[in-house]
Amino acid sequence: MATIFSKIAAGEIPSYCCAQNDEFYAFLDINPMVKGHTLVIPRREVDYIFDLADDELARLHVFAARVARAIKSVIPCVKVGEAVLGLEVPHAHIHLIPMQSERDMLFSNPKLQLPADEMQAVADAIRQAFEKA
Ligand code: 5GP
């Protein structure tokens, strides 16, 4: 059975798309830690990120780096942090989190609920920056 993230990448479940190509898909986390919190996934279904083949893992990170640069250009932050957990959704993904401080990376923090129009505006801005790069 397809994972929820496969359905998102296929457009069967809506998401706030930030970037995509044939192999990878980036979209806003629905319960963000901070504004601009983005998930990057391979379209191919693999649960554990470290089960990806070396070259696919490398390409995923190159794609994520381009997404991170786009995030940093539109969300004021010190740096974009990267985290991998995968405890909730069994489909490999990288969290990209614009940080003001180390505290923004604490997954035990309460999550934000941003209005749909704000989520859309953030995703559109990241996508435009990604496409320009
Ligand atoms: P993890 O598997 O890394 O522990 O956490 C999964 C992340 O995916 C969480 O931050 C959660 O908010 C996010 N998430 C779970 N389901 C959905 C969904 O249907 N749409 C989006 N955009 N994010 C989701």
Side-chain angles (χ1 to χ4, degrees):
M1 203 177 74
T3 68
I4 190 157
F5 284 180
S6 285
K7 291 179 183 169
I8 285 174
E12 293 163 16
I13 291 179
S15 67
Y16 298 99
C17 176
C18 298
Q20 60 178 315
N21 66 14
D22 288 350
E23 217 180 358
F24 306 113
Y25 190 82
F27 56 107
L28 293 183
D29 194 298
I30 204 68
N31 292 125
M33 312 244 285
V34 297
K35 187 165 145 176
H37 179 176
T38 300
L39 303 175
V40 184
I41 64 168
R43 291 183 186 274
R44 193 167 83 83
E45 256 181 34
V46 173
D47 174 357
Y48 185 43
I49 194 167
F50 298 121
D51 285 337
L52 289 171
D54 288 353
D55 55 345
E56 190 176 7
L57 181 61
R59 287 194 302 277
L60 173 66
H61 271 95
V62 170
F63 182 84
R66 189 171 155 201
V67 178
R69 287 192 287 270
I71 294 171
K72 187 157 188 307
S73 73
V74 298
I75 304 282
C77 61
V78 178
K79 286 185 176 176
V80 173
E82 173 182 316
V84 172
L85 283 81
L87 295 173
E88 183 188 326
V89 178
H91 185 135
H93 53 280
I94 293 173
H95 294 258
L96 295 177
I97 299 166
M99 299 179 291
Q100 301 301 336
S101 77
E102 170 187 321
R103 246 180 287 169
D104 291 328
M105 296 298 287
L106 294 178
F107 278 77
S108 51
N109 284 344
K111 306 298 185 290
L112 301 181
Q113 284 282 345
L114 299 177
D117 58 344
E118 197 173 347
M119 292 286 273
Q120 191 63 61
V122 169
D124 289 348
I126 295 171
R127 201 173 54 253
Q128 279 161 23
F130 178 87
E131 283 164 7
K132 257 195 266 162

